[in-house]
Amino acid sequence: MKYLTLLFLSTIIFFACGDPGATTSDPVVASTPTDAITERVAAAEKRLAGSEGGQLVASAIEAHGGLDAWYRQSPLYYHFNYVPTDGKGKVRNSFILNDYRGARAVHQKAGDLDVTYGFDGTDAWQNPADSDPGVSPRFWSLTPYYFVGLPFVLADEGINFEVLENAELDGADLQRVKVTYEAGTGDADDDYYILHLDPTTHELVALNYIVSYRGFFEEGKSLPEKLMRLKGKTRVDGILLPTGYATSWSSDPDVNITDITIADYEFRPDTEDAAFDKPATAKVVNDLPTE
């Protein structure tokens, strides 16, 4: 997965049940000036137009609602539940608030709403400091962010695109684009994705990917490639979003190893910026190897 640590008052974040949106008496909204969004979109469109693969990704972004609407309505709230099908793997279930303009996240652990963790743009954290979030906050904070945010997150800098031959998946002939990352982009620049796009609608149908996160793997090593099929889509305020993924090993595509369900989507552009701050009582947990 990609962990984009590219962008950007300690406060304790107070949560209503299942709702990570904080409030204060004098709120500062997590907004970006209109001209800054316009400039960011224009720069992204120029980058994507520079290659055939980028153009296919740009078409996918438009089919899913467009980059301008995506940025203007951020942050996005949702419920993400990752369940291994063998009954033995670790379930990762949380209510999430993602800032897609600043690569920030706050998770509230389902089943224990007092436990939170996230990424503030610089540091991963967990709160309370002695709590057990059940995941690596550095690894998992922006993992759902990426799979929910495809194809929009591919408009960022440091990304390369290569058109592959069309391939059949589940009886459909699909366009494919391989996505790789320039050295130094995020925490896992050896990651890659292969997007499977519907040639008529330009929508994302499935993807292959590897996990090469440096907190888990030595340089040059990764998990075997996986295949994720979208189980469904829903349109929220004009943006097409996944309702779930079925995951298998690419080498054994007919055996499902993970079910992901995603629900309760809500764009919250009036969220206070302080909602993404590390709580004053949090512990920083950056589990990457040091050089």
Side-chain angles (χ1 to χ4, degrees):
M1 290 71 174
K2 289 310 299 165
Y3 318 97
L4 301 182
T5 59
L6 304 176
L7 307 169
F8 336 46
L9 330 170
S10 285
T11 183
I12 298 177
I13 302 176
F14 293 92
F15 293 92
C17 181
D19 182 356
T23 59
T24 68
S25 58
D26 186 18
V28 177
V29 175
S31 62
T32 302
T34 299
D35 57 347
I37 293 176
T38 301
E39 291 172 3
R40 181 169 180 173
V41 171
E45 290 175 344
K46 182 177 180 180
R47 283 194 301 273
L48 293 171
S51 68
E52 184 182 358
Q55 291 166 20
L56 289 177
V57 170
S59 294
I61 289 172
E62 284 305 308
H64 283 252
L67 200 55
D68 188 83
W70 174 251
Y71 284 144
R72 291 186 194 284
Q73 296 182 118
S74 180
L76 177 64
Y77 171 83
Y78 55 92
H79 180 193
F80 193 96
N81 189 15
Y82 170 104
V83 181
T85 58
D86 63 3
K88 300 175 183 178
K90 182 176 294 185
V91 174
R92 296 162 181 166
N93 188 3
S94 60
F95 301 95
I96 307 172
L97 188 67
N98 283 159
D99 168 19
Y100 280 96
R101 292 192 297 261
R104 299 180 296 178
V106 175
H107 291 239
Q108 188 177 20
K109 185 178 179 181
D112 192 351
L113 300 177
D114 292 329
V115 175
T116 61
Y117 59 95
F119 184 74
D120 67 0
T122 301
D123 294 317
W125 54 267
Q126 65 187 47
N127 189 56
D130 61 354
S131 63
D132 178 14
V135 297
S136 157
R138 179 81 184 202
F139 172 72
W140 194 251
S141 287
L142 292 184
T143 294
Y145 165 106
Y146 216 74
F147 290 122
V148 167
L150 285 169
F152 302 100
V153 291
L154 300 178
D156 289 323
E157 296 182 73
I159 300 178
N160 305 307
F161 306 100
E162 176 189 357
V163 176
L164 304 180
E165 291 184 1
N166 285 15
E168 184 176 302
L169 180 65
D170 301 328
D173 186 49
L174 302 175
Q175 295 174 318
R176 296 190 303 157
V177 180
K178 186 171 184 178
V179 178
T180 57
Y181 298 86
E182 295 177 5
T185 301
D187 292 346
D189 53 18
D190 286 338
D191 278 5
Y192 68 77
Y193 295 80
I194 299 174
L195 309 183
H196 299 251
L197 305 173
D198 185 301
T200 301
T201 66
H202 308 295
E203 294 175 9
L204 181 66
V205 175
L207 62 135
N208 303 95
Y209 75 98
I210 64 165
V211 177
S212 65
Y213 176 61
R214 291 291 164 265
F216 300 157
F217 300 101
E218 297 176 3
E219 187 171 356
K221 297 186 181 298
S222 69
L223 279 178
E225 184 183 274
K226 291 183 178 180
L227 170 68
M228 295 180 74
R229 296 172 169 95
L230 274 79
K231 297 196 295 184
K233 302 168 193 169
T234 185
R235 199 168 287 275
V236 181
D237 295 333
I239 299 296
L240 193 63
L241 296 163
T243 57
Y245 286 97
T247 305
S248 61
W249 299 112
S250 294
S251 59
D252 195 3
D254 295 327
V255 177
N256 190 31
I257 59 172
T258 305
D259 272 319
I260 296 171
T261 57
I262 314 164
D264 302 330
Y265 282 118
E266 184 180 338
F267 284 101
R268 297 182 174 181
D270 294 330
T271 298
E272 299 167 26
D273 197 60
F276 296 99
D277 289 348
K278 287 188 297 290
T281 54
K283 173 185 177 182
V284 173
V285 280
N286 290 331
D287 52 8
L288 290 172
T290 57
E291 297 191 26

